[in-house]
Amino acid sequence: MAEPLISVRNVKKYFDVGGGKTLKAVDGISFDIYPGETFGLVGESGCGKSTAGRTIIRLYEPSGGQVLFNGKSVYDLSSREMQEVRKDFQMIFQDPYASLNPRMTVEDIIAEPLDIHKAYKSHAERHNRVIELLKLVGLNEEHASRFPHEFSGGQRQRIGIARALALNPKFIVCDEPISALDVSIQAQVVNLLKELQEEMGITYLFIAHDLSMVRYISDRVGVMYLGHMMELAKSEELYENPIHPYTKALLSAIPIPDPEVQRSRHRIMLEGDVPSPIDPADTCRFVDRCPYAIEQCKGKAPEFTEIVKDHYVACHRAKDILEGKAKPTK
């Protein structure tokens, strides 16, 4: 198998919230992303997905751990070395309204990475590159002189994608790039991302809420809960054979467009609310809501282990659940 492009090793991101308390947004996650693949990251709001994406590309300085890019440790680089690596890292933001400067023309927005890295020799070269990028994402030359308020949400997100592609990056973090868009536009944007990946060989970390869209675009999927990685497997394997109780509950919420099948499905309803990520106990993060929780789960956090080939789970009872031996305890 190819060497990973990105290796995330025990990455942590903590925020000091005052009063001697610490919010553990990302608390020791590890996974690899291979060249040309899309790695999906899912989980409910507040689980740390977006913080993980930003910490991996060092938009947030990490609290611990290591990220290797092409075998080089990103967190050990000086600011000057990081500036060079930044060309290969880009991000597509969640909100196409907030992520574009309303006072800049589309040409200046898309050319901003080119300006920062001095990636052109003349103004004409800069202009031609912007037009090329606009056409790549399905927009026209005349759009270059307009301002963001003149565009729809879907068009703005295309401008954001064009900006992310300006320096031919190897790795792009897509931070819920479709959640703020109309449903009719979401599929167009996801298909555009897939086409660009095939054409340019880009590697994606695709962060999302929409589980059916993640299944469509991702090669492998990781499930996060309260700063921890709960399960990781190839996309089809995870959706067909989920092992962790949290993943099972998440997947049971996906609607199926067939009334007969939908009526006969069992929806897993989780009890209670998501606990606070401020100074959490060193137990399984899911213990208070898990139907299979036993005393061992309250004693220590489970390790993230390979239960089936290429299928990793952080659950003390994973093998029993897989073999059908685990009975719900509540």
Side-chain angles (χ1 to χ4, degrees):
M1 201 170 183
E3 285 294 304
L5 180 73
I6 301 276
S7 289
V8 178
R9 293 285 171 268
N10 199 30
V11 164
K12 299 175 181 177
K13 179 59 187 171
Y14 299 163
F15 296 95
D16 181 4
V17 291
K21 297 184 179 219
T22 305
L23 189 152
K24 298 187 173 182
V26 178
D27 197 13
I29 60 169
S30 301
F31 55 88
D32 291 329
I33 306 177
Y34 293 91
E37 87 162 339
T38 300
F39 186 93
L41 198 54
V42 300
E44 58 198 303
S45 291
C47 72
K49 309 182 297 294
S50 295
T51 304
R54 287 168 185 237
T55 308
I56 287 165
I57 61 173
R58 229 173 127 183
L59 286 183
Y60 290 157
E61 283 300 318
S63 304
Q66 196 179 45
V67 168
L68 301 176
F69 172 66
N70 275 336
K72 259 176 32 181
S73 176
V74 174
Y75 295 164
D76 294 336
L77 299 177
S78 67
S79 51
R80 185 178 290 178
E81 291 168 321
M82 195 63 211
Q83 176 89 340
E84 203 52 40
V85 172
R86 282 251 172 265
K87 293 180 186 174
D88 289 322
F89 288 168
Q90 289 297 325
M91 189 155 188
I92 299 166
F93 295 92
Q94 179 176 359
D95 187 349
Y97 295 86
S99 60
L100 304 180
N101 189 330
R103 294 184 183 84
M104 289 168 73
T105 63
V106 166
E107 178 160 356
D108 287 339
I109 288 168
I110 294 173
E112 197 169 12
L114 304 173
D115 296 340
I116 290 166
H117 291 276
K118 300 178 174 55
Y120 55 86
K121 294 185 179 69
S122 66
H123 196 74
E125 189 183 332
R126 176 186 188 262
H127 178 73
N128 291 338
R129 177 64 178 149
V130 170
I131 302 308
E132 186 187 324
L133 289 161
L134 280 170
K135 288 179 176 167
L136 199 59
V137 297
L139 295 172
N140 303 322
E141 190 169 339
E142 61 265 24
H143 290 137
S145 57
R146 295 189 196 169
F147 289 87
H149 73 267
E150 299 177 64
F151 295 90
S152 67
Q155 287 174 319
R156 288 184 204 204
Q157 198 57 295
R158 286 172 187 265
I159 294 164
I161 293 168
R163 176 177 60 186
L165 295 172
L167 295 165
N168 292 321
K170 291 188 173 71
F171 178 61
I172 297 181
V173 175
C174 306
D175 183 13
E176 303 201 31
I178 56 170
S179 64
L181 305 178
D182 291 345
V183 175
S184 56
I185 306 299
Q186 289 181 357
Q188 292 176 22
V189 171
V190 166
N191 284 332
L192 172 65
L193 289 170
K194 282 187 81 134
E195 284 164 24
L196 292 167
Q197 184 176 43
E198 283 165 26
E199 211 172 299
M200 302 168 77
I202 308 165
T203 305
Y204 292 134
L205 172 62
F206 191 86
I207 298 165
H209 277 111
D210 187 335
L211 294 160
S212 45
M213 199 59 92
V214 169
R215 180 178 192 169
Y216 172 65
I217 196 171
S218 303
D219 300 296
R220 288 182 305 135
V221 178
V223 180
M224 272 185 83
Y225 183 80
L226 266 187
H228 278 188
M229 191 71 85
M230 292 295 173
E231 188 161 3
L232 191 163
K234 287 183 176 163
S235 182
E236 286 307 308
E237 163 70 13
L238 186 88
Y239 281 77
E240 296 298 329
N241 306 302
I243 296 173
H244 198 284
Y246 177 61
T247 312
K248 286 174 178 281
L250 270 187
L251 297 183
S252 78
I254 302 176
I256 290 176
D258 181 331
E260 292 300 314
V261 177
Q262 184 65 21
R263 270 196 288 272
S264 62
R265 288 174 79 219
H266 171 57
R267 173 78 198 274
I268 301 169
M269 303 298 288
L270 293 175
E271 302 283 315
D273 295 323
V274 182
S276 168
I278 296 173
D279 294 329
D282 188 27
T283 62
C284 171
R285 293 286 160 90
F286 190 57
V287 66
D288 295 334
R289 303 174 76 196
C290 181
Y292 295 97
I294 53 174
E295 210 53 43
Q296 185 186 7
C297 306
K298 296 172 187 171
K300 62 168 187 169
E303 287 187 16
F304 197 54
T305 37
E306 192 172 19
I307 303 297
V308 186
K309 184 169 164 48
D310 298 331
H311 193 147
Y312 298 82
V313 186
C315 178
H316 290 305
R317 306 197 70 192
K319 283 209 164 118
D320 289 346
I321 291 169
L322 181 66
E323 292 162 8
K325 293 178 189 169
K327 296 285 178 281
T329 54
K330 56 183 172 185

